[in-house]
Amino acid sequence: MTLLYMKVLVTGGLGFIGSHTVVELQNEGYEVVIIDDCSNSSENVLEGITSITEKTPLFEKIDLKEKNKVEDFFKRHHDIEGVIHFAASKAVGESVEKPLLYYENNIGTLVYILKELCNKNKASFIFSSSCTVYGQADKMPITESAPVKMAESPYGNTKQMGEEIIADTCKVTPSLNAIALRYFNPIGAHPSSQIGELPIGVPQNLVPFITQTGVGLREELSVFGDDYPTEDGTCVRDYIYVVDLAKAHVIALQRLMNGKNSNNYEVFNVGTGTGSTVLEVIQSFEKISDKKLNYKIVDRRPGDITSAYADTTKANEILGWKSQYTLDEAMKSAWDWEQKVRS
Ligand code: WQD
């Protein structure tokens, strides 16, 4: 049973995954407060959330690197019982160029929030982690017990370190309960097309690049390599629909708030369990849009792994969560959103 009016802080709640999670939280009756510094998002997202849920979440534009502002926020909102922490920088390439920015943004802010939560009698914390912690795993599908490989970038390192910081803190803080969700590749947009992904500049990720090419904003998609040891030579990933992913956060939070967790720090993979090649993703786009996509095969992208898809048994059986949407449905939502944004 969902307890009504429980107050939840969503950091980065105007971002791609954050905004979809705010919608699902509000649909479940939670009172949501968003903190976002709008460095990679826009305040207009609030309108999208409001039009879907008929409720405007509280919003404070705060830079979480400012420790005194974080302290002041938690003083004013002393009744916050749960935090879903999305706010982070996420561009892999940029993190290589500016490592300290990433350590400050992703680690410094995490520490400030955890410090506040440790002062509470009881607190629930959900952390945005990533399948990137596995690197190129030896076995597919990837289970949560697969070894965490050396990070390939400062960004990936911040996710690994983030998990360790939370685990270490939970060990000595019984009042703190946390879950790290390791996302695979989130895609799509809300079915209403009121919120979705808004990459700044040239998209680095596959699906927004495809939809921007489809709509004519980009001339051609470059497919990075077709000589990988996979079915058709292109890389395999597990593309998870963002609304399914958002729901996993609500279920994880409920698990903690209802005291159903078996340990005060748990980790779950969040994916579909199915791998798709880049060419299969292109085919899906062509099917749902009834358009031919302009693409060419180019060299491999440095740093890309061959294959990554999730074993979702733990999330299915212990969390009680399972992805519902197909790749085609997720792709259709991304395409609808792209067309709406450009119209
Ligand atoms: C997917 C596939 C590319 C763009 C991302 C994040 C990573 C982690 C997981 C968060 C790959 C191919 C892409 C293009 C292409 N997320 N591709 N042409 O690399 O799995 O990683 O999700 O922690 O940090 O970066 O996702 O969408 O970039 O690529 O051929 O223009 O599409 O080679 O095989 P990736 P992606």
Side-chain angles (χ1 to χ4, degrees):
M1 193 189 77
T2 304
L3 297 168
L4 293 179
Y5 309 121
M6 217 165 239
K7 200 165 172 185
V8 177
L9 165 63
V10 181
T11 73
L14 298 181
F16 174 42
I17 307 169
S19 58
H20 287 82
T21 302
V22 170
V23 164
E24 297 306 318
L25 285 168
Q26 293 202 150
N27 284 344
E28 289 290 316
Y30 287 94
E31 189 183 338
V32 177
V33 190
I34 294 175
I35 290 183
D36 204 299
D37 67 356
C38 297
S39 58
N40 195 17
S41 61
S42 152
E43 264 185 64
N44 298 336
V45 173
L46 281 174
E47 286 165 30
I49 294 171
T50 306
S51 73
I52 298 168
T53 61
E54 292 173 2
K55 194 175 172 207
T56 308
L58 293 177
F59 166 59
E60 296 201 20
K61 189 170 173 175
I62 293 175
D63 181 346
L64 292 167
K65 289 196 292 300
E66 295 190 48
K67 190 174 179 226
N68 58 336
K69 296 223 169 119
V70 176
E71 288 168 355
D72 172 67
F73 174 87
F74 276 94
K75 260 186 213 122
R76 287 184 289 109
H77 295 276
H78 52 84
D79 50 348
I80 280 179
E81 297 179 53
V83 176
I84 305 184
H85 182 46
F86 293 103
S89 301
K90 60 170 187 174
V92 178
E94 185 187 47
S95 79
V96 176
E97 303 292 319
K98 301 174 186 168
L100 290 180
L101 179 78
Y102 274 67
Y103 290 116
E104 190 180 30
N105 280 354
N106 296 4
I107 301 295
T109 59
L110 171 68
V111 170
Y112 297 158
I113 292 171
L114 288 177
K115 269 191 170 172
E116 294 300 320
L117 295 187
C118 288
N119 291 331
K120 290 181 174 285
N121 293 332
K122 187 175 187 306
S124 304
F125 184 73
I126 310 292
F127 180 62
S128 268
S129 191
S130 168
C131 66
T132 197
V133 301
Y134 299 117
Q136 178 58 73
D138 302 322
K139 270 193 273 171
M140 289 299 137
I142 306 172
T143 65
E144 288 81 353
S145 54
V148 166
K149 295 258 175 84
M150 204 139 100
E152 300 255 351
S153 68
Y155 163 76
N157 208 16
T158 64
K159 291 299 170 189
Q160 293 187 6
M161 289 168 72
E163 287 195 7
E164 285 169 12
I165 289 167
I166 299 163
D168 289 345
T169 310
C170 283
K171 247 182 236 160
V172 293
T173 320
S175 58
L176 178 66
N177 291 282
I179 289 179
L181 297 178
R182 292 177 177 162
Y183 318 152
F184 282 67
N185 290 54
I187 59 161
H190 194 268
S192 64
S193 296
Q194 298 290 338
I195 53 172
E197 196 169 3
L198 282 170
I200 293 175
V202 180
Q204 303 301 307
N205 296 116
L206 179 63
V207 170
F209 205 107
I210 289 178
T211 55
Q212 289 198 6
T213 307
V215 88
L217 206 65
R218 314 266 155 220
E219 205 174 307
E220 171 174 72
L221 168 78
S222 295
V223 173
F224 299 134
D226 69 348
D227 57 350
Y228 285 95
T230 63
E231 216 174 289
D232 60 25
T234 63
C235 294
V236 171
R237 297 287 185 274
D238 185 340
Y239 296 92
I240 170 82
Y241 181 45
V242 66
V243 175
D244 278 332
L245 175 56
K247 287 181 177 160
H249 291 80
V250 180
I251 292 171
L253 187 68
Q254 280 166 346
R255 176 175 172 82
L256 297 183
M257 285 180 158
N258 295 335
K260 299 275 194 249
N261 46 322
S262 44
N263 208 303
N264 76 331
Y265 175 61
E266 296 176 318
V267 175
F268 294 95
N269 282 342
V270 189
T272 66
T274 303
S276 306
T277 65
V278 176
L279 294 181
E280 282 168 345
V281 176
I282 294 172
Q283 278 156 19
S284 167
F285 171 78
E286 292 186 333
K287 183 169 138 198
I288 60 91
S289 67
D290 208 16
K291 264 174 162 302
K292 274 270 156 235
L293 189 80
N294 209 8
Y295 72 88
K296 66 164 187 262
I297 310 288
V298 301
D299 286 349
R300 291 182 178 196
R301 180 171 69 178
D304 269 344
I305 54 168
T306 304
S307 183
Y309 57 97
D311 184 320
T312 59
T313 311
K314 191 176 175 196
N316 299 163
E317 291 180 0
I318 298 178
L319 202 56
W321 169 91
K322 200 173 190 324
S323 69
Q324 304 289 330
Y325 290 79
T326 62
L327 176 62
D328 286 350
E329 287 165 335
M331 187 58 85
K332 168 87 168 55
S333 73
W335 179 230
D336 289 345
W337 165 249
E338 188 71 62
Q339 288 172 290
K340 188 197 157 200
V341 170
R342 308 297 158 197
S343 63

